Amino acid sequence: MIYLNERDLEQIGIDWPALALLIENAVASFAAGECAQPIKPYLKYGDERNRIIAMPAYVNRPARVAGLKWIASFPGNIEIGIPRANSVTILNDPDTGVPNAIVLGSLISAIRTAAVSGTLLRKLVAGGEKKLRIALIGMGPIGRMHVHMLNGLLGDRISRIVAYDRREVQVEEWLSGVPAVIPVEKAASWQEAYRDADVVFTCTAAPERYIDEAAKPDAILMHVSLRDYELDALANVGAVIVDSWEEICRADTDTERLHLHAGLQEEGTMTLAEALALPADRIIQSNGPTLFTPMGLAVFDVAVAAHYAEAADRLGVGQRLE
């Protein structure tokens, strides 16, 4: 078995174009029914905010592999100086079931999350010439990884990133080590970042909904953290894109609230696979913002972990365990 920690992943590096292609292949495989992925269970006890999630999957392409991500999200950790999310990913040989790789840490989960966002966003803005203003709400590890991704995948399309966090976060310290070309500035409020943004990333662990106003009609809402919008703030959305309706329409997500209280049905949404197969002008609607609400599929986590395990084996990175 090969063991990889976050230092090993950093040594291998992040190839955003390669990861976007990997996600596209995994999306197509999932849509074609070539994967296996049961609904992920939530282990909850004690503090209602806390959860540990099991995410098992078999992936057929771009590499055949089975595996499991076991990820804990404890928002209160931030207050005591340790990461909110902690995870481990185990990979198994798909033919024998023998475990052959283990990846420790949540860096790989952040990479997967940003890679999925980037894969769709580059499709949605394909062919345009306008320089985009990005709002990024939530200056934690997931937000930081999205800045990394935007620089690596879409840097020539973005004029600036306006970031906000309710905590006192210094931009320079937050982005330490991120290869940055796009200017990033700190906003005094989420409203300052949000208003007039062409693309809005929500990457928070907010304990309650706080966005109470609609985005401009041509905005793209990359709703990574899933529980930020008051219902009225989403009343004007046009296209709604999901990675899996079955996964996203539960666990008190904003998508589930749209379903329960505003009549959103599965047939009124577009899957990520459908969106990636269509030209951008057939996805984006003129009547309101485009909303992407990805629950995060285990097939993506397993595929990305396999990508790093293969690179580690090829480059001689990591530790061999017996």
Side-chain angles (χ1 to χ4, degrees), residues 280-302:
D281 60 6
R282 292 188 54 194
I283 303 168
I284 296 174
Q285 300 176 12
S286 60
N287 62 328
T290 301
L291 174 66
F292 178 44
T293 62
M295 178 60 89
L297 301 185
V299 294
F300 301 152
D301 291 286
V302 170

Side-chain angles (χ1 to χ4, degrees), residues 63-280:
R64 289 184 66 247
V65 63
L68 168 76
K69 182 173 82 169
W70 177 240
I71 182 164
S73 175
F74 282 53
N77 286 358
I78 296 172
E79 300 164 10
I80 57 175
I82 60 177
R84 172 190 63 83
N86 292 275
S87 75
V88 62
T89 304
I90 300 173
L91 301 180
N92 301 71
D93 182 285
D95 298 314
T96 65
V98 174
N100 54 28
I102 184 167
V103 184
L104 183 67
S106 296
L107 176 60
I108 196 165
S109 185
I111 291 170
R112 178 273 286 169
T113 302
V116 173
S117 295
T119 300
L120 178 62
L121 184 59
R122 73 173 183 173
K123 161 67 73 170
L124 295 179
V125 302
E129 297 181 357
K130 174 187 174 182
K131 290 281 189 175
L132 304 171
R133 179 186 181 276
I134 305 292
L136 195 151
I137 304 173
M139 297 172 68
I142 299 297
R144 179 178 184 272
M145 192 57 65
H146 276 80
V147 175
H148 199 311
M149 176 275 293
L150 290 168
N151 276 279
L153 204 58
L154 289 160
D156 61 340
R157 291 297 317 280
I158 297 168
S159 63
R160 61 180 174 142
I161 299 170
V162 182
Y164 170 74
D165 198 285
R166 60 186 177 86
R167 300 167 297 156
E168 291 295 326
V169 179
Q170 299 300 316
V171 171
E172 295 78 10
E173 181 179 344
W174 175 54
L175 294 180
S176 176
V178 174
V181 176
I182 306 167
V184 179
E185 61 188 68
K186 177 81 179 290
S189 66
W190 69 262
Q191 292 94 334
E192 180 185 335
Y194 178 79
R195 291 169 182 162
D196 297 323
D198 300 301
V199 181
V200 179
F201 286 95
T202 43
C203 303
T204 76
E208 58 188 23
R209 271 75 173 180
Y210 58 94
I211 298 179
D212 57 3
E213 60 184 73
K216 65 177 187 173
D218 61 347
I220 298 170
L221 308 181
M222 306 295 291
H223 193 17
V224 177
S225 45
L226 306 179
R227 303 171 185 87
D228 296 80
Y229 288 88
E230 296 282 357
L231 199 59
D232 288 348
L234 295 175
N236 72 329
V237 295
V240 178
I241 304 169
V242 301
D243 49 8
S244 165
W245 175 263
E246 192 176 26
E247 285 280 11
I248 193 63
C249 191
R250 65 192 187 106
D252 193 34
T253 63
D254 290 344
T255 308
E256 184 185 35
R257 290 191 174 192
L258 283 171
H259 170 64
L260 294 176
H261 305 296
L264 180 67
Q265 302 296 323
E266 180 177 6
E267 55 268 25
T269 67
M270 178 181 296
T271 67
L272 180 56
E274 291 168 339
L276 292 177
L278 291 171

